[in-house]
Amino acid sequence: MNADLYVPADGWLHRADPRVKLALAALLLGLSLALRQTSVILLALLVEHALLITSKIPLRNIARIWKMLLPLIVMIVIMWPLFDHTGADVLFGLGPFVLTKQNLVMAAVMGLRVPALAFACFVLLFTTDQAMLVRGLVALGVPYRIGLTISTSLRYIPEFFAMFSTISQAQQARGLNLKARGTKLSQRFHAYIPVIIAVLIQGFKMGENVGRAMESRGLGMQGVRRSYYRRLRMRSADWAILAIAVLCAAAVVALAMVI
Protein backbone atom coordinates (compact mmCIF):
# COMPACT_ATOMS: atom_id res chain seq x y z
CA MET A 1 0.00 0.00 0.00
CA ASN A 2 1.17 3.52 -0.67
CA ALA A 3 2.50 5.51 2.23
CA ASP A 4 -0.41 7.91 1.88
CA LEU A 5 -3.96 6.58 1.97
CA TYR A 6 -5.22 9.49 -0.14
CA VAL A 7 -5.87 8.58 -3.79
CA PRO A 8 -5.52 11.68 -6.03
CA ALA A 9 -8.44 11.91 -8.45
CA ASP A 10 -11.08 14.31 -9.70
CA GLY A 11 -14.05 12.54 -8.14
CA TRP A 12 -17.08 14.31 -6.73
CA LEU A 13 -16.16 13.26 -3.19
CA HIS A 14 -12.67 14.69 -3.65
CA ARG A 15 -14.27 18.07 -4.35
CA ALA A 16 -16.67 17.86 -1.41
CA ASP A 17 -16.02 19.73 1.82
CA PRO A 18 -14.06 17.55 4.29
CA ARG A 19 -16.73 18.20 6.95
CA VAL A 20 -19.30 16.57 4.67
CA LYS A 21 -17.06 13.52 4.26
CA LEU A 22 -16.53 13.35 8.01
CA ALA A 23 -20.32 13.40 8.44
CA LEU A 24 -20.75 10.66 5.81
CA ALA A 25 -18.18 8.47 7.54
CA ALA A 26 -19.80 9.09 10.94
CA LEU A 27 -23.27 8.19 9.61
CA LEU A 28 -22.02 4.98 7.99
CA LEU A 29 -20.10 4.03 11.14
CA GLY A 30 -23.15 4.73 13.30
CA LEU A 31 -25.48 2.64 11.13
CA SER A 32 -23.02 -0.27 10.99
CA LEU A 33 -22.52 -0.23 14.77
CA ALA A 34 -26.04 0.50 15.97
CA LEU A 35 -28.07 -1.81 13.74
CA ARG A 36 -27.73 -5.59 13.59
CA GLN A 37 -29.85 -6.37 10.55
CA THR A 38 -27.82 -8.10 7.85
CA SER A 39 -29.67 -6.14 5.17
CA VAL A 40 -28.64 -2.81 6.76
CA ILE A 41 -24.96 -3.75 6.92
CA LEU A 42 -25.05 -5.06 3.34
CA LEU A 43 -26.70 -1.80 2.27
CA ALA A 44 -23.97 0.19 4.06
CA LEU A 45 -21.29 -1.84 2.25
CA LEU A 46 -23.03 -1.31 -1.08
CA VAL A 47 -23.30 2.45 -0.50
CA GLU A 48 -19.64 2.67 0.56
CA HIS A 49 -18.47 0.87 -2.57
CA ALA A 50 -20.75 3.02 -4.73
CA LEU A 51 -19.29 6.18 -3.17
CA LEU A 52 -15.72 5.01 -3.80
CA ILE A 53 -16.31 3.79 -7.36
CA THR A 54 -18.22 6.90 -8.43
CA SER A 55 -15.41 8.99 -6.90
CA LYS A 56 -12.95 7.32 -9.32
CA ILE A 57 -11.13 5.25 -6.69
CA PRO A 58 -9.36 2.42 -8.59
CA LEU A 59 -10.74 -1.07 -8.02
CA ARG A 60 -7.27 -2.32 -7.08
CA ASN A 61 -7.32 -0.06 -3.99
CA ILE A 62 -10.70 -1.45 -2.95
CA ALA A 63 -9.54 -5.03 -3.61
CA ARG A 64 -6.41 -4.41 -1.51
CA ILE A 65 -8.56 -3.49 1.49
CA TRP A 66 -10.65 -6.64 1.07
CA LYS A 67 -7.44 -8.70 0.91
CA MET A 68 -6.27 -7.17 4.19
CA LEU A 69 -9.63 -7.71 5.93
CA LEU A 70 -10.39 -11.23 4.65
CA PRO A 71 -8.35 -13.16 7.27
CA LEU A 72 -10.01 -11.19 10.09
CA ILE A 73 -13.49 -11.74 8.63
CA VAL A 74 -12.92 -15.50 8.30
CA MET A 75 -11.57 -15.72 11.84
CA ILE A 76 -14.60 -13.88 13.27
CA VAL A 77 -17.11 -16.06 11.40
CA ILE A 78 -15.36 -19.27 12.49
CA MET A 79 -14.74 -18.24 16.11
CA TRP A 80 -18.15 -16.68 16.80
CA PRO A 81 -20.03 -20.00 17.40
CA LEU A 82 -17.36 -20.98 19.96
CA PHE A 83 -18.41 -18.13 22.26
CA ASP A 84 -22.04 -17.57 21.29
CA HIS A 85 -24.29 -20.53 22.10
CA THR A 86 -27.58 -18.64 21.88
CA GLY A 87 -30.45 -20.03 19.87
CA ALA A 88 -32.63 -23.13 20.18
CA ASP A 89 -32.37 -24.30 16.55
CA VAL A 90 -29.16 -26.35 16.78
CA LEU A 91 -27.71 -27.22 13.37
CA PHE A 92 -24.46 -28.81 14.50
CA GLY A 93 -22.64 -29.44 17.77
CA LEU A 94 -19.14 -30.67 18.52
CA GLY A 95 -17.74 -29.99 21.99
CA PRO A 96 -17.64 -26.24 22.62
CA PHE A 97 -18.60 -25.57 18.99
CA VAL A 98 -22.39 -25.21 18.78
CA LEU A 99 -23.84 -23.95 15.53
CA THR A 100 -27.40 -22.61 15.64
CA LYS A 101 -29.43 -20.58 13.18
CA GLN A 102 -29.24 -17.59 15.49
CA ASN A 103 -25.49 -17.54 16.10
CA LEU A 104 -24.88 -18.32 12.42
CA VAL A 105 -26.77 -15.14 11.52
CA MET A 106 -24.83 -13.20 14.16
CA ALA A 107 -21.53 -14.59 12.84
CA ALA A 108 -22.45 -13.32 9.38
CA VAL A 109 -23.47 -9.93 10.83
CA MET A 110 -20.21 -9.56 12.76
CA GLY A 111 -18.17 -10.70 9.78
CA LEU A 112 -19.85 -8.14 7.51
CA ARG A 113 -19.62 -5.40 10.12
CA VAL A 114 -15.81 -5.38 9.96
CA PRO A 115 -15.57 -4.34 6.27
CA ALA A 116 -18.55 -2.00 6.69
CA LEU A 117 -16.72 -0.13 9.46
CA ALA A 118 -13.43 -0.18 7.56
CA PHE A 119 -14.84 1.12 4.29
CA ALA A 120 -16.74 3.85 6.14
CA CYS A 121 -13.33 5.18 7.18
CA PHE A 122 -11.79 4.66 3.74
CA VAL A 123 -14.57 6.72 2.13
CA LEU A 124 -12.96 9.62 4.03
CA LEU A 125 -9.30 8.60 3.83
CA PHE A 126 -9.20 7.70 0.13
CA THR A 127 -10.77 11.02 -0.92
CA THR A 128 -9.27 13.51 1.56
CA ASP A 129 -5.61 14.52 1.72
CA GLN A 130 -3.90 15.25 5.01
CA ALA A 131 -4.10 19.04 4.79
CA MET A 132 -7.83 19.04 4.01
CA LEU A 133 -8.52 16.52 6.78
CA VAL A 134 -6.79 18.77 9.32
CA ARG A 135 -8.69 21.82 8.03
CA GLY A 136 -11.98 19.94 8.30
CA LEU A 137 -11.31 18.86 11.88
CA VAL A 138 -10.22 22.38 12.86
CA ALA A 139 -13.33 23.84 11.23
CA LEU A 140 -15.43 21.53 13.42
CA GLY A 141 -13.77 22.93 16.55
CA VAL A 142 -10.96 20.41 17.07
CA PRO A 143 -7.71 22.13 18.17
CA TYR A 144 -5.15 22.27 15.37
CA ARG A 145 -2.58 20.18 17.25
CA ILE A 146 -5.07 17.36 17.85
CA GLY A 147 -6.28 17.47 14.25
CA LEU A 148 -2.70 17.36 12.98
CA THR A 149 -1.88 14.46 15.32
CA ILE A 150 -4.87 12.43 14.11
CA SER A 151 -4.16 13.01 10.43
CA THR A 152 -0.42 12.36 10.85
CA SER A 153 -1.13 9.09 12.66
CA LEU A 154 -3.40 7.95 9.84
CA ARG A 155 -0.77 9.06 7.34
CA TYR A 156 1.99 6.91 8.86
CA ILE A 157 0.02 3.70 9.58
CA PRO A 158 0.53 2.29 6.06
CA GLU A 159 4.12 3.55 6.05
CA PHE A 160 4.88 1.46 9.14
CA PHE A 161 3.36 -1.58 7.43
CA ALA A 162 5.56 -0.96 4.38
CA MET A 163 8.58 -0.44 6.64
CA PHE A 164 7.88 -3.70 8.48
CA SER A 165 7.65 -5.59 5.18
CA THR A 166 10.84 -4.03 3.81
CA ILE A 167 12.85 -4.73 6.97
CA SER A 168 11.54 -8.31 7.13
CA GLN A 169 12.70 -8.96 3.58
CA ALA A 170 16.06 -7.31 4.24
CA GLN A 171 16.63 -9.36 7.41
CA GLN A 172 15.69 -12.59 5.64
CA ALA A 173 18.12 -11.73 2.82
CA ARG A 174 20.80 -11.52 5.52
CA GLY A 175 19.97 -15.01 6.80
CA LEU A 176 17.19 -14.46 9.36
CA ASN A 177 14.82 -17.45 9.27
CA LEU A 178 11.37 -16.37 10.43
CA LYS A 179 9.84 -19.83 10.03
CA ALA A 180 12.35 -22.01 11.86
CA ARG A 181 11.34 -21.16 15.44
CA GLY A 182 8.19 -23.31 15.64
CA THR A 183 4.51 -22.58 15.22
CA LYS A 184 3.59 -21.28 18.69
CA LEU A 185 2.72 -17.59 18.98
CA SER A 186 5.50 -16.94 21.52
CA GLN A 187 8.06 -18.62 19.28
CA ARG A 188 6.96 -16.67 16.24
CA PHE A 189 7.08 -13.41 18.24
CA HIS A 190 10.61 -14.25 19.39
CA ALA A 191 11.64 -14.83 15.76
CA TYR A 192 10.36 -11.38 14.79
CA ILE A 193 12.19 -9.52 17.61
CA PRO A 194 15.07 -8.35 15.31
CA VAL A 195 12.53 -6.99 12.83
CA ILE A 196 10.47 -5.26 15.55
CA ILE A 197 13.58 -3.61 17.05
CA ALA A 198 14.64 -2.30 13.64
CA VAL A 199 11.12 -0.95 12.96
CA LEU A 200 11.06 0.81 16.36
CA ILE A 201 14.45 2.42 15.70
CA GLN A 202 13.29 3.63 12.29
CA GLY A 203 10.04 4.86 13.87
CA PHE A 204 11.92 6.92 16.47
CA LYS A 205 14.12 8.44 13.75
CA MET A 206 11.05 9.25 11.68
CA GLY A 207 9.37 10.87 14.69
CA GLU A 208 12.41 13.06 15.34
CA ASN A 209 12.51 14.18 11.70
CA VAL A 210 8.79 15.00 11.70
CA GLY A 211 9.18 16.92 14.98
CA ARG A 212 12.07 19.00 13.61
CA ALA A 213 10.13 19.72 10.41
CA MET A 214 7.14 20.95 12.44
CA GLU A 215 9.33 23.10 14.69
CA SER A 216 11.02 24.67 11.66
CA ARG A 217 7.56 25.68 10.45
CA GLY A 218 6.74 27.39 13.73
CA LEU A 219 4.30 24.86 15.16
CA GLY A 220 3.64 25.59 18.82
CA MET A 221 5.44 28.94 18.97
CA GLN A 222 4.22 31.11 21.83
CA GLY A 223 2.33 34.26 20.94
CA VAL A 224 1.89 33.28 17.29
CA ARG A 225 -1.65 32.98 15.98
CA ARG A 226 -2.11 30.58 13.11
CA SER A 227 -3.32 32.09 9.82
CA TYR A 228 -4.99 30.38 6.89
CA TYR A 229 -4.47 31.03 3.20
CA ARG A 230 -7.91 29.70 2.31
CA ARG A 231 -10.81 29.00 4.68
CA LEU A 232 -13.37 26.27 4.15
CA ARG A 233 -16.79 27.29 2.92
CA MET A 234 -19.75 24.98 2.44
CA ARG A 235 -21.12 25.14 -1.10
CA SER A 236 -24.72 24.44 -2.04
CA ALA A 237 -23.65 21.03 -3.38
CA ASP A 238 -22.09 20.21 0.00
CA TRP A 239 -25.29 21.11 1.83
CA ALA A 240 -27.27 18.98 -0.63
CA ILE A 241 -25.00 15.96 -0.09
CA LEU A 242 -25.24 16.37 3.67
CA ALA A 243 -29.03 16.70 3.61
CA ILE A 244 -29.46 13.62 1.40
CA ALA A 245 -27.13 11.59 3.61
CA VAL A 246 -28.98 12.54 6.81
CA LEU A 247 -32.38 11.84 5.27
CA CYS A 248 -31.26 8.45 3.93
CA ALA A 249 -29.76 7.50 7.30
CA ALA A 250 -32.98 8.49 9.09
CA ALA A 251 -35.03 6.44 6.61
CA VAL A 252 -32.82 3.37 7.16
CA VAL A 253 -33.16 3.68 10.94
CA ALA A 254 -36.95 4.06 10.68
CA LEU A 255 -37.25 0.98 8.42
CA ALA A 256 -34.97 -1.04 10.68
CA MET A 257 -37.14 -0.23 13.69
CA VAL A 258 -40.28 -1.32 11.83
CA ILE A 259 -38.71 -4.56 10.63
Side-chain angles (χ1 to χ4, degrees):
M1 186 178 290
N2 295 332
D4 198 347
L5 293 171
Y6 173 66
V7 180
D10 188 29
W12 64 275
L13 264 182
H14 291 77
R15 297 189 297 271
D17 191 284
R19 291 168 290 185
V20 173
K21 289 180 276 189
L22 284 165
L24 279 173
L27 287 171
L28 290 167
L29 285 170
L31 290 175
S32 301
L33 284 172
L35 302 178
R36 290 189 174 187
Q37 288 88 340
T38 309
S39 57
V40 173
I41 299 178
L42 284 173
L43 178 62
L45 269 173
L46 181 63
V47 170
E48 289 159 0
H49 282 70
L51 291 174
L52 292 173
I53 292 171
T54 57
S55 297
K56 301 180 181 180
I57 301 299
L59 293 177
R60 64 177 180 273
N61 293 74
I62 299 174
R64 195 176 295 132
I65 301 304
W66 275 109
K67 184 178 179 180
M68 291 172 54
L69 295 175
L70 189 59
L72 180 60
I73 296 170
V74 172
M75 184 182 69
I76 290 174
V77 173
I78 293 175
M79 296 292 289
W80 190 264
L82 290 174
F83 302 98
D84 182 10
H85 298 161
T86 58
D89 302 324
V90 179
L91 301 176
F92 178 77
L94 181 63
F97 186 85
V98 179
L99 186 64
T100 66
K101 288 183 179 180
Q102 289 75 17
N103 68 16
L104 183 61
V105 171
M106 280 305 302
V109 169
M110 298 306 295
L112 289 171
R113 183 173 283 173
V114 171
L117 295 173
F119 278 103
C121 298
F122 282 107
V123 165
L124 171 68
L125 299 177
F126 276 159
T127 61
T128 313
D129 64 16
Q130 184 182 13
M132 290 299 291
L133 181 58
V134 174
R135 289 173 63 189
L137 291 170
V138 172
L140 291 173
V142 177
Y144 182 82
R145 287 188 180 184
I146 297 177
L148 182 62
T149 301
I150 294 172
S151 65
T152 304
S153 301
L154 294 171
R155 160 70 173 78
Y156 282 102
I157 287 174
E159 187 157 324
F160 270 100
F161 276 110
M163 187 191 304
F164 184 87
S165 176
T166 302
I167 292 175
S168 297
Q169 294 172 11
Q171 295 279 28
Q172 290 179 81
R174 292 175 173 84
L176 177 65
N177 192 344
L178 298 175
K179 299 180 180 179
R181 302 287 184 91
T183 58
K184 293 183 179 179
L185 183 61
S186 59
Q187 293 173 328
R188 294 181 64 182
F189 176 78
H190 188 267
Y192 274 94
I193 286 179
V195 178
I196 295 171
I197 292 174
V199 170
L200 288 175
I201 292 172
Q202 286 295 108
F204 286 131
K205 289 182 179 179
M206 187 187 301
E208 289 180 355
N209 292 335
V210 172
R212 292 193 187 100
M214 291 181 178
E215 287 179 358
S216 67
R217 289 166 172 79
L219 181 67
M221 289 182 62
Q222 296 295 328
V224 176
R225 186 176 180 181
R226 182 171 181 82
S227 60
Y228 296 90
Y229 174 70
R230 185 183 300 168
R231 293 188 176 274
L232 294 177
R233 286 183 175 83
M234 291 280 286
R235 303 171 300 162
S236 56
D238 296 322
W239 287 112
I241 295 170
L242 185 59
I244 293 171
V246 172
L247 289 174
C248 290
V252 169
V253 172
L255 287 174
M257 292 177 66
V258 172
I259 297 173

